[in-house]
Amino acid sequence: MTEFKEDVSIVLGGAAGQGIQTVEGILTYALKRSGYHVYANKEYMSRVRGGINTTEIRVSSRRVRAFVKRIDILVPFKQGVLSWVSDRLSKETVVLGERENVEEEFLGRVNLVEVPLTKLALETGSQLYINTTAAGLIVGLFHGDFGAVEEYIRKRFGSKGENVVNKNIEAAKKGYELGVKLCEEGTIRVEVGRDEKVREEILLSGTEAVGIGALAGGMNFLSFYPMSPSTGVSTFAAQKAEEFGIIVEQVEDEISAINMALGAWFAGARAMVSTSGGGFALMSEALSLAGMAENPIVIHLAQRPGPATGLPTRTMQGDLNLVLYAGHGDFPRIILAPGSMEEAFYLTAEAFNLADKYQVPVIILTDQYFVDTYYNLPRPDLGRVRFEKYIVEAKPGYRRYELTEDGISPRAVPGYGEEVVIANGNEHDEWGDITEEAELTREMQEKRAIRKLETIRKNAPLPRLIGSENARYLVVSWGSTLHAVEEAIEKLGRDDVAFLHFSWVYPLNPETKRFFEGKTVIVVENNVTGQFADLLKKELGVDVHHRVLKYDGRPFSVEEVFDALKGVVE
Amino acid sequence: MNLPTGREAFEPRRPTSKDVAWCPGCGNFGIRNILISALAELGLKPSEVAIISGIGQAAKMPHYINANGYHTLHGRAIPIATGVKAASPELTVIAEGGDGDMYAEGGNHLLHAIRRNPDITVLIHDNQIYGLTKGQASPTTMVGMKTPTQPWGVFEEPFNPIALAIAMNASFVARTFMGYFRESVEIIKKAIQHKGLAIVDILHPCVSFNKVNTYAWYREHTYWMDDHDPHDREAAFKRALEEDPLPLGIFYVNEKPTFEESVPAYRVDKRPLWQREPKLDLVEKFFEDKKA
Ligand SMILES: Cc1ncc(C[n+]2csc(CCOP(=O)(O)OP(=O)(O)O)c2C)c(N)n1
Ligand code: SF4
């Protein structure tokens, strides 16, 4: 008998197009509705059919939000899955599935619990139902709420007619009963506590958190050119365009995307572009225009490994330097990197206020791992979302680039007020007309690149410290690695280790320096050189003592961070 | 304070906008006058007009006309103007630039703007040369012309913007020569009034760098189409292929839905985007749906 307690990691593996997402959808929905905490993340190959894709689902009695390497239950839908994840298998792993999906060499080495999925599906009428059968099976192991499975199937397949719905429910039921039976027979035992509060919570992915955050921030224009893994946010916005009455346009290239969005902001819209590193590279010319013309813009960049097309469907935090330095000439920008779904929602909404207020590019950095992750969380509080509008009326005598103490000139939009608004990507005078005057050039350069940057810097929020201010070790991370580091430190259970997470990445408030004083600093990041560690040195003069880096295109697992930190502190 | 009206209203009033950076005798002056007349005769106010330009001599226009303006990047005026119009459809939006700006660096955007059909007017100052960068060949430079960067003479086939636009079924396609003032004003007025993307290729001499296509050359090598029906696409295409003399006038008019009419943003709410607020009730509803 194999027993799983408190926290179970289930991995489903199969070919692209085999319907693993259906299983994932049913499982996470039904288990959440049953009162279990759930987390899911997928890894997939850059192909439309075939290959091997896997999804990890964690089911737990406590909040779980990070990827673990460990596999407790593996459900292979084809041969090759076991080899693909062989380094994640252990003696305890239960392989739940059909013998023909297990490679010869693994037979005898793994704990195979044979389940006749195909047979059960065929009994329902077609092999097609194998996914729902498998989903039912796992829900059954948890004695989950079957009503929630039915609900999900009705929602998801409702448009395909009553017959399809009923057949799927029947298939799921067969799986469910088998799952319950496996427990009763004592083949597998699962003990995970339920938490009533979870039922009322929502399931949200990184893609949705950014997308809905943008809508909460008043985004009403999005232009894009598709590129994985950023496309999900554009798709999300397009699906919501009618309901929200916004403009979402797929354009000819990334150059057009960002320029169109700049035009929209110039005329007062709240515009966003969503892209990945390669697309952003094409946008860097327009980024400079935004800098010079002080044209607000919000850019969502979902990172994937580079250089060039790199690994299209994998993850990395490798574009920090790109967004820090892209564009020619000096101009300020704001870089945000949410670590949790809550942060992604609130920060994306706030990005629009920041862009409007400071009239600079605001870049939201996520990555493939983050956009494809989801888990349950309490519903965000809309009372915390602020809508701040900084547009002024162009009254006679209005000057678009008025020189001010804090570097911020009042921004008017064409058509609001009698006076005209002149914006300019060439160096300009206060009215917006071209200038080549030396003194004025100096003043304008200082206004943008020094005074405005200082204003942003001193108003920048501080990073979040978890643990004691007096801890000897300070673990530092930014963006999507938040939860893996958090869980690893928890597991470490030492009070001389504190954790500092940055979701506001640049510019850094000078006060941030105090967190580092007298500490052994360990930076954890998902890239090959330690781009954020270098930024800490450059911005704050902070010395980083250890860099924990991962750059194989995969996210950090809790175990990997744990092992690395253990190696440093012991 | 009373702001001026009519033609006067469009005369620049800002301190440095009187320092015009065009060479004496340049065709750009004529285009400026034509544009001011067209805007004034249409009864528009400067605050209702937005001129979005790229980079080049032609693209300096926003500084010499009093209207809203955005002097942007080489080749990018069209997408930016599209964004402006989409965000604020009440504005009269004009994208302006040279032949290098619109046909070389911005060529791809022109193609896709024709497909997207925003209700903007694209004015191309076609002097068949690069002015600002001092005399290199442009996409419309004639075969055989020698330049500092094509000392062996240009051999690339010149771009035919008119034929291209008609082939792509553009909404409004015209050509004029700025030397004909009244006719040009009328064409530009029609282009601005036209609902949908209007492309006007405006021939104009560059007195500093193009010694071939002079004022006299344009007069000798152009003619007005009197008997042409702009709704006849085939006839328009035939005219577009004529090379010498070059036909002038409106080649093609094709009414079709505009970009702004097609997006859902204005179906119910007609206000420009800057007047709108986040729909938090719908965000709330999204979360509510996510619970179940
Ligand atoms: C990205 C980029 N490449 C090149 C240039 C240099 N450049 C400025 S204007 C110009 C061409 C101007 O020619 P045209 O568009 O025909 O305008 P004209 O000056 O003749 O009015 C070029 C190549 C630039 N500003 N930006
Ligand atoms: S360089 Fe040519 S196009 Fe430019 S202002 Fe002089 S004459 Fe006109």
Side-chain angles (χ1 to χ4, degrees):
Chain A
M1 185 181 77
T2 319
E3 207 175 312
F4 299 111
K5 279 199 167 142
E6 303 303 318
D7 177 15
V8 188
S9 150
I10 304 161
V11 171
L12 313 160
Q18 254 188 330
I20 292 187
Q21 273 169 29
T22 311
V23 189
E24 182 190 339
I26 299 177
L27 271 184
T28 48
Y29 179 85
L31 291 172
K32 191 220 98 175
R33 293 289 277 172
S34 308
Y36 295 112
H37 287 281
V38 291
Y39 154 95
N41 176 265
K42 58 171 166 282
E43 56 91 21
Y44 51 105
M45 293 181 172
S46 181
R47 49 194 286 181
V48 176
R49 297 232 163 250
I52 289 170
N53 298 348
T54 70
T55 291
E56 172 174 292
I57 298 167
R58 284 178 77 184
V59 188
S60 171
S61 49
R62 305 173 45 214
R63 221 171 260 299
V64 269
R65 298 184 148 199
F67 170 68
V68 288
K69 195 166 172 187
R70 179 190 95 231
I71 298 178
D72 296 324
I73 299 175
L74 176 68
V75 185
F77 285 98
K78 69 177 279 200
Q79 284 243 348
V81 172
L82 275 90
S83 317
W84 181 246
V85 299
S86 64
D87 65 330
R88 299 175 64 187
L89 302 175
S90 73
K91 289 200 302 289
E92 279 77 45
T93 309
V94 167
V95 176
L96 199 55
E98 293 170 285
R99 195 185 203 94
E100 62 262 36
N101 291 335
V102 178
E103 298 94 293
E104 270 306 314
E105 76 240 52
F106 287 93
L107 289 172
R109 269 173 56 201
V110 295
N111 195 348
L112 173 65
V113 173
E114 278 189 74
V115 280
L117 291 176
T118 310
K119 190 176 142 258
L120 291 177
L122 286 172
E123 278 173 22
T124 317
S126 158
Q127 175 130 24
L128 281 176
Y129 301 120
I130 195 162
N131 295 319
T132 15
T133 309
L137 171 70
I138 294 168
V139 177
L141 291 180
F142 287 84
H143 292 84
D145 175 1
F146 191 75
V149 176
E150 286 189 54
E151 231 176 84
Y152 185 89
I153 291 173
R154 277 187 208 292
K155 265 207 231 178
R156 168 97 189 224
F157 301 110
S159 61
K160 296 188 177 165
E162 200 53 24
N163 187 40
V164 174
V165 168
N166 290 339
K167 286 289 183 193
N168 273 290
I169 291 175
E170 195 189 324
K173 187 86 194 170
K174 283 192 196 295
Y176 187 88
E177 280 159 3
L178 178 61
V180 171
K181 196 167 134 230
L182 288 177
C183 294
E184 280 167 359
E185 287 170 1
T187 314
I188 300 178
R189 198 151 128 206
V190 180
E191 258 180 62
V192 179
R194 302 191 193 206
D195 177 349
E196 286 306 311
K197 284 192 303 262
V198 175
R199 296 182 207 269
E200 287 305 297
E201 292 192 353
I202 60 166
L203 274 177
L204 201 66
S205 72
T207 293
E208 292 168 325
V210 169
I212 196 73
L215 290 166
M219 176 187 76
N220 45 34
F221 188 102
L222 182 137
S223 36
F224 74 101
Y225 189 79
M227 186 168 186
S228 294
S230 69
T231 317
V233 169
S234 306
T235 310
F236 178 89
Q239 298 291 326
K240 297 270 174 269
E242 304 239 34
E243 188 187 1
F244 280 78
I246 61 166
I247 299 177
V248 177
E249 178 69 354
Q250 179 180 323
V251 300
E252 58 272 24
D253 55 29
E254 287 84 354
I255 299 173
S256 180
I258 186 167
N259 281 292
M260 215 175 269
L262 288 178
W265 271 101
F266 170 68
R270 288 195 155 201
M272 177 160 105
V273 295
S274 183
T275 189
S276 293
F280 184 87
L282 286 173
M283 294 180 177
S284 67
E285 182 204 29
L287 196 75
S288 281
L289 173 64
M292 176 56 106
E294 302 191 51
N295 196 137
I297 179 79
V298 175
I299 302 168
H300 167 240
L301 192 167
Q303 301 165 96
R304 67 191 223 187
T309 352
L311 288 164
T313 65
R314 308 264 159 214
T315 202
M316 205 163 283
Q317 292 182 305
D319 294 342
L320 177 60
N321 283 339
L322 173 71
V323 296
L324 265 174
Y325 303 113
H328 48 288
D330 284 310
F331 60 94
R333 64 195 78 197
I334 294 172
I335 303 170
L336 310 172
S340 65
M341 297 308 145
E342 287 89 343
E343 277 181 355
F345 173 73
Y346 294 119
L347 277 178
T348 308
E350 181 63 9
F352 292 85
N353 293 333
L354 293 168
D356 198 1
K357 178 176 182 182
Y358 297 120
Q359 303 161 36
V360 295
V362 180
I363 298 145
I364 301 158
L365 269 186
T366 63
D367 49 49
Q368 180 270 323
Y369 171 69
F370 188 80
V371 294
D372 285 337
T373 289
Y374 64 95
Y375 46 69
N376 59 291
L377 60 146
R379 187 158 138 181
D381 172 13
L382 293 193
R384 273 183 59 192
V385 175
R386 297 171 304 154
F387 176 61
E388 292 168 358
K389 204 163 154 180
Y390 297 89
I391 292 170
V392 301
E393 187 182 341
K395 302 212 170 100
Y398 171 74
R399 283 168 292 163
R400 171 69 191 92
Y401 299 110
E402 189 183 325
L403 288 161
T404 57
E405 197 56 40
D406 62 2
I408 297 161
S409 316
R411 187 171 73 95
V413 301
Y416 178 34
E418 278 180 275
E419 194 49 281
V420 301
V421 182
I422 306 291
N424 197 345
N426 291 274
E427 191 54 277
H428 41 254
D429 61 15
E430 287 182 272
W431 286 264
D433 286 317
I434 302 176
T435 187
E436 295 199 25
E437 222 234 291
E439 179 56 24
L440 193 54
T441 299
R442 222 170 51 81
E443 276 190 71
M444 286 292 175
Q445 289 275 351
E446 285 172 4
K447 166 184 128 90
R448 289 184 300 262
I450 297 177
R451 293 214 298 280
K452 194 200 273 194
L453 179 60
E454 278 317 306
T455 302
I456 302 171
R457 207 191 286 277
K458 68 171 194 271
N459 288 311
L462 296 176
R464 186 153 63 101
L465 180 74
I466 303 170
S468 160
E469 292 216 17
N470 303 317
R472 184 170 155 213
Y473 297 98
L474 185 67
V475 183
V476 177
S477 79
W478 63 282
S480 67
T481 52
L482 168 70
H483 297 310
V485 178
E486 203 174 34
E487 196 174 328
I489 291 178
E490 242 177 70
K491 234 172 116 179
L492 213 54
R494 290 175 54 140
D495 37 0
D496 59 346
V497 179
F499 177 28
L500 191 65
H501 182 264
F502 288 79
S503 50
W504 176 298
V505 170
Y506 179 86
L508 294 175
N509 191 318
E511 282 193 33
T512 310
K513 201 169 154 62
R514 74 172 154 84
F515 291 104
F516 296 90
E517 272 150 22
K519 306 255 174 19
T520 299
V521 180
I522 309 158
V523 172
V524 180
E525 50 183 318
N526 213 187
N527 62 50
V528 64
T529 56
Q531 298 183 6
F532 187 68
D534 291 343
L535 179 67
L536 287 175
K537 177 77 184 174
K538 180 169 175 279
E539 282 286 290
L540 304 170
V542 164
D543 282 313
V544 171
H545 306 95
H546 300 275
R547 294 177 191 221
V548 176
L549 306 173
K550 182 168 188 190
Y551 38 87
D552 57 2
R554 272 69 175 169
F556 272 109
S557 64
V558 174
E559 295 94 328
E560 281 165 323
V561 181
F562 176 82
D563 291 344
L565 295 183
K566 209 163 174 219
V568 175
V569 301
E570 276 173 11
Chain B
M1 183 177 144
N2 273 339
L3 294 171
T5 52
R7 232 182 160 282
E8 266 302 294
F10 292 96
E11 287 298 341
R13 289 179 286 114
R14 301 179 300 268
T16 41
S17 62
K18 294 182 184 84
D19 173 25
V20 179
W22 288 326
C23 311
C26 171
N28 279 319
F29 289 100
I31 300 179
R32 191 194 84 103
N33 283 336
I34 289 163
L35 184 57
I36 288 183
S37 291
L39 294 171
E41 288 173 26
L42 289 172
L44 291 162
K45 286 196 286 211
S47 61
E48 297 166 342
V49 178
I51 301 176
I52 315 302
S53 69
I55 291 292
Q57 289 292 81
K60 290 177 178 166
M61 189 65 88
H63 306 297
Y64 314 139
I65 283 190
N66 190 54
N68 293 298
Y70 194 172
H71 191 172
T72 69
L73 294 168
H74 196 43
R76 315 299 171 213
I78 291 177
I80 296 177
T82 304
V84 172
K85 182 73 182 181
S88 203
E90 287 153 31
L91 293 171
T92 293
V93 179
I94 295 166
E96 215 162 344
D99 39 305
D101 203 14
M102 295 289 187
Y103 301 147
E105 194 86 64
N108 194 33
H109 302 314
L110 179 72
L111 296 184
H112 294 276
I114 294 174
R115 295 179 47 232
R116 190 168 291 118
N117 200 32
D119 183 14
I120 63 174
T121 304
V122 182
L123 302 181
I124 301 106
H125 300 216
D126 189 355
N127 55 9
Q128 303 184 262
I129 201 85
Y130 283 11
L132 188 56
T133 47
K134 303 198 168 168
Q136 304 81 17
S138 89
T140 50
T141 300
M142 283 162 43
V143 171
M145 184 144 124
K146 291 190 173 164
T147 81
T149 46
Q150 288 81 18
W152 46 82
V154 169
F155 51 77
E156 286 91 345
E157 175 117 358
F159 198 76
N160 184 335
I162 306 292
L164 176 107
I166 297 167
M168 288 198 60
N169 212 16
S171 198
F172 180 104
V173 187
R175 175 160 60 209
T176 186
F177 163 48
M178 51 63 61
Y180 300 117
F181 180 80
R182 190 32 50 195
E183 292 85 343
S184 297
V185 171
E186 293 307 325
I187 285 178
I188 287 172
K189 273 161 67 181
K190 289 213 176 86
I192 291 172
Q193 281 175 315
H194 177 82
K195 184 175 74 72
L197 187 84
I199 299 169
V200 187
D201 186 65
I202 309 172
L203 302 171
H204 84 94
C206 166
V207 294
S208 297
F209 299 111
N210 188 340
K211 306 294 181 197
V212 177
N213 309 107
T214 60
Y215 283 91
W217 188 92
Y218 283 124
R219 278 183 208 284
E220 278 161 31
H221 295 267
T222 57
Y223 80 101
W224 288 99
M225 300 181 285
D226 295 326
D227 54 343
H228 173 64
D229 170 13
H231 292 281
D232 182 342
R233 188 170 172 207
E234 261 181 56
F237 196 74
K238 267 192 194 136
R239 292 280 180 138
L241 298 182
E242 292 176 18
E243 281 177 3
D244 196 2
L246 292 162
L248 300 178
I250 298 168
F251 284 77
Y252 186 52
V253 175
N254 163 33
E255 309 279 351
K256 53 182 180 177
T258 66
F259 176 52
E260 306 78 54
E261 285 173 342
S262 310
V263 296
Y266 298 104
R267 257 172 232 165
V268 187
D269 193 344
K270 305 288 175 202
R271 292 173 303 164
L273 301 184
W274 64 268
Q275 289 176 8
R276 303 190 188 190
E277 300 208 338
K279 296 191 173 148
L280 292 184
D281 53 327
L282 293 178
V283 174
E284 192 71 60
K285 183 173 158 279
F286 170 82
F287 286 138
E288 191 57 41
D289 292 347
K290 277 264 148 190
K291 237 168 60 178

